[in-house]
Amino acid sequence: MTASSTAAARKGARKGRAASPIAMFFRGFIKHPVMVGSIIPSSGRLIRKMLGPVDWGQCKLFVEYGPGVGTFCQAVLDRMGPDAQYIAIDTNEDFVAYLRETIRDPRFSAICGSAADVEAIVADHGHDGADYVLSGLPFSTLPTGVGDTIAKATAKVIRPGGAFLVYQFSPKVKDFLSPEFANIDHDMEWWNVPPAQLYWARNG
């Protein structure tokens, strides 16, 4: 093999390899800053605290809004039962393609769509509701009315005993949660960059 063909082969290999999660996350933030809440993926401490209250033994459907490059995905899959399903919904086609390429688990589905359509998406996957919904969407920067619509649809789709798990960098998200959820627990994760507001919203 000549030097030129070797270089071409190396270039082709690099082109076919999936981008790193950090590179994908940064690219997504630059292209869609309103829909991506932070330029840095969530920390391991935030992930563990956010998922801590989940009753995995009772979880048959876990939904995530705005999974990005899958920062939470493997942690959720590691905790889920073998018969549970995980639906990740994102409006960013690049993120959805990346997740489909990098996560090969039959329990996982990456859907390109809006969180506002969660009821229809859940029904399309054969479920009458979700046990838990996780969201890192930046509610305070979403277009007017979108955050309210998502909160209302989420309250409808969550089964009794489930919860809406929300991590944000602005406490304003509570303005969207309060009209739809009767019980809202709050905590902080100071070791995240930036520090994150954590909410667990329930209707029972």
Side-chain angles (χ1 to χ4, degrees):
M1 183 179 287
T2 66
S4 60
S5 60
T6 300
R10 287 176 179 169
K11 182 178 180 180
R14 286 196 300 270
K15 186 176 181 180
R17 188 182 305 145
S20 72
I22 295 294
M24 281 296 300
F25 200 88
F26 182 75
R27 190 183 307 164
F29 182 84
I30 295 301
K31 289 176 67 175
H32 307 283
V34 172
M35 299 302 293
V36 180
S38 170
I39 200 168
I40 301 173
S42 301
S43 69
R45 292 174 65 101
L46 184 153
I47 293 169
R48 289 189 294 273
K49 184 178 286 189
M50 192 82 261
L51 299 179
V54 175
D55 183 350
W56 296 103
Q58 299 299 316
C59 181
K60 299 304 178 185
L61 178 61
F62 191 100
V63 176
E64 181 178 3
Y65 302 155
V69 295
T71 306
F72 273 85
C73 291
Q74 195 57 55
V76 172
L77 290 167
D78 287 345
R79 291 163 170 78
M80 277 173 40
D83 60 340
Q85 188 174 7
Y86 183 0
I87 301 174
I89 305 170
D90 207 304
T91 58
N92 187 319
E93 294 180 358
D94 294 337
F95 284 162
V96 171
Y98 179 82
L99 293 175
R100 289 174 177 171
E101 180 181 354
T102 58
I103 300 178
R104 305 296 176 86
D105 190 309
R107 300 171 297 169
F108 180 80
S109 300
I111 305 299
C112 189
S114 170
D117 299 322
V118 63
E119 293 175 276
I121 293 171
V122 164
D124 287 345
H125 283 75
H127 295 269
D128 59 3
D131 298 293
Y132 296 92
V133 177
L134 168 70
S135 177
L137 296 178
F139 274 75
S140 61
T141 64
L142 294 176
T144 302
V146 174
D148 299 293
T149 301
I150 291 173
K152 188 179 294 293
T154 304
K156 289 180 180 179
V157 84
I158 292 176
R159 295 182 182 124
F164 189 19
L165 318 178
V166 183
Y167 60 100
Q168 300 280 283
F169 307 112
S170 167
K172 188 172 177 57
V173 68
K174 195 170 181 181
D175 295 343
F176 297 92
L177 300 178
S178 296
E180 309 298 335
F181 294 92
N183 300 307
I184 302 174
D185 295 328
H186 172 256
D187 201 349
M188 291 288 298
E189 179 46 64
W190 297 103
W191 289 94
N192 197 71
V193 180
Q197 307 269 344
L198 278 55
Y199 295 87
W200 298 267
R202 301 174 179 84
N203 268 330

